[in-house]
Amino acid sequence: MKFKTKLTISLFTIALAFTSCNTEDASDSTENASAAANQNVSTSKVGVCSEVPGWASQNGGTTGGGTSAETTVTNYTELKSAIENTSVKVIKVSGTITVSARLSFQNQTGKTIYGTSGAKIVSTNQTKDGSGIIYFKGCKNIIIRNLIFEGPGAYDTDGWDNATLDNCQNVWVDHCEFRDGVDGNFDIKNKSDYVTVSYTKFTYLKAPKAGGPGGSDDHRYSNLIGSSDSATGDRGTFRITFARCWWASGCKERMPRVRFGKIHIINSYFNSSASNKCIAAGFEADIKVENNLFENVKTPIDLMTGLTAVTVTSGNVFTNTTGNIAGKNTSFTPPYTIPTLAASAVKADISAGAGATFAGNTCGSF
């Protein structure tokens, strides 16, 4: 497939190493990274579905439902039925679907759920028991692509996230947007492993509701990895890549907040002026922070008690930030290779490419 992109000179060497992924003539590589940083030019490509980036490429890879026949859904009843039917391998979401009860996506293997252009799954419920959009549990080899998950806004009722992975393995979340979750936008817990989140946007567009019984008046806490320091069964899991993601307007904390695991955060963009802290390294967290852009945020790196290691590479850029930007100890080395932008090119790339920006189930590669 032809890629709809222009590569920068600074990425030309990387492009040569991935010539099988790119059919464009080298003469198109004429813009430098500093020029790209001032334009809405994305290096996100229409790619080959086998080119899964990051941790989801390991442990046998992640293919989802592949080229299986699609089932199109346009309302809650159809969506619930398609999710629960193990024979349905590819779900195509069209239009806006408001959930009347949280969806349970359990014990499924080899399945894709994706949206057409502008497709949204919405919850308007802020109660403890009724909140949340979708809960993935005990699933393997799942792809979630080109969908907007929209909650009613943050409210600390000890409620549910827009989406949660619970004991799931080999999951690729690609070109999605998670906004305005009640408890969080997208959490990962309970031995989930081999997960890649790519070109995905996290944001809060609605004002937080104060006075919740959970105790926080502003619970715009986007992404939690690991539910408790005492959940020691999570050791050896939570191998997760966040590549070319965007923690945008309204995010206050947990971008992400990590316990255990080996977390690779690469070529992502943090620019929420509402931030209190961004990446939070908690108990036994092992995090590699590589070539990201932090802009107008507070405490880009929060070193909490009991962490294992946080490596903040020299390729990160911190613009008008306050608070800690240093790491501690030496983090893990990822077992995969992944094309890497200079941080100077991240803003333009992410601004143009992150979120549900595709027309459907188009695979995105780098």
Side-chain angles (χ1 to χ4, degrees):
M1 300 175 71
K2 295 184 72 176
F3 297 145
K4 300 174 183 177
T5 185
K6 290 185 178 181
L7 296 176
T8 63
I9 288 175
S10 65
L11 297 175
F12 184 66
T13 302
I14 294 173
L16 288 177
F18 290 87
T19 52
S20 64
C21 308
N22 189 357
T23 60
E24 293 241 334
D25 187 77
S27 62
D28 286 337
S29 300
T30 57
E31 294 182 57
N32 60 36
S34 61
N38 293 317
Q39 302 173 28
N40 283 331
V41 177
S42 175
T43 62
S44 172
K45 308 180 185 78
V46 176
V48 181
C49 292
S50 61
E51 295 171 9
V52 182
W55 275 116
S57 68
Q58 305 296 293
N59 193 42
T62 303
T63 57
T67 58
S68 298
E70 298 180 345
T71 296
T72 301
V73 299
T74 60
N75 59 53
Y76 174 76
T77 300
E78 292 173 347
L79 176 57
K80 183 175 184 292
S81 176
I83 284 173
E84 293 175 354
N85 187 342
T86 58
S87 297
V88 173
K89 294 300 183 182
V90 180
I91 302 172
K92 176 181 177 180
V93 179
S94 181
T96 297
I97 296 177
T98 299
V99 301
S100 54
R102 186 174 56 256
L103 295 159
S104 180
F105 198 130
Q106 293 197 38
N107 303 318
Q108 303 262 348
T109 299
K111 196 158 183 169
T112 296
I113 179 170
Y114 81 93
T116 60
S117 182
K120 292 196 295 185
I121 307 178
V122 177
S123 170
T124 60
N125 193 320
Q126 284 187 311
T127 66
K128 177 178 179 178
D129 295 328
S131 55
I133 294 174
I134 190 166
Y135 196 87
F136 297 85
K137 184 172 183 179
C139 295
K140 293 178 173 62
N141 190 19
I142 303 296
I143 291 176
I144 308 160
R145 175 173 286 124
N146 205 59
L147 276 167
I148 299 169
F149 297 87
E150 182 178 312
Y155 182 38
D156 195 4
T157 59
D158 290 325
W160 296 72
D161 313 302
N162 276 347
T164 303
L165 295 185
D166 181 340
N167 193 20
C168 295
Q169 292 77 43
N170 287 92
V171 179
W172 184 12
V173 180
D174 181 49
H175 282 85
C176 288
E177 180 174 348
F178 295 87
R179 60 171 75 146
D180 295 307
V182 173
D183 187 65
N185 275 325
F186 175 48
D187 286 5
I188 301 173
K189 68 177 191 176
N190 191 22
K191 302 180 183 179
S192 290
D193 210 0
Y194 299 108
V195 177
T196 293
V197 186
S198 58
Y199 277 113
T200 290
K201 185 177 182 180
F202 304 100
T203 191
Y204 290 88
L205 304 178
K206 300 167 184 173
K209 185 176 179 179
S216 171
D217 286 338
D218 188 350
H219 205 271
R220 292 178 293 175
Y221 299 165
S222 191
N223 307 93
L224 180 65
I225 298 171
S227 56
S228 171
D229 290 0
S230 63
T232 55
D234 290 334
R235 285 178 178 142
T237 63
F238 295 153
R239 283 166 281 206
I240 303 165
T241 302
F242 290 92
R244 307 196 187 190
C245 292
W246 187 2
W247 283 272
S249 176
C251 293
K252 190 174 181 66
E253 295 185 14
R254 299 182 185 174
M255 303 179 229
R257 194 262 202 235
V258 178
R259 295 179 173 95
F260 306 104
K262 291 180 170 65
I263 314 302
H264 189 192
I265 302 171
I266 181 169
N267 279 159
S268 293
Y269 183 32
F270 302 77
N271 75 328
S272 173
S273 59
S275 61
N276 182 40
K277 49 190 174 183
C278 299
I279 298 169
F283 187 68
E284 295 188 13
D286 188 352
I287 308 175
K288 186 177 182 70
V289 183
E290 184 176 8
N291 286 41
N292 303 284
L293 173 60
F294 298 84
E295 183 178 69
N296 302 318
V297 296
K298 297 177 182 177
T299 315
I301 312 294
D302 183 29
L303 302 177
M304 304 176 72
T305 301
L307 68 89
T308 295
V310 179
T311 293
V312 182
T313 69
S314 60
N316 292 281
V317 171
F318 302 89
T319 302
N320 193 32
T321 65
T322 59
N324 182 59
I325 61 173
K328 183 178 181 180
N329 303 331
T330 302
S331 68
F332 74 103
T333 299
Y336 52 81
T337 58
I338 186 168
T340 304
L341 297 170
S344 59
V346 164
K347 182 175 182 177
D349 181 70
I350 301 307
S351 298
T357 58
F358 282 158
N361 190 23
T362 304
C363 294
S365 56
F366 295 164

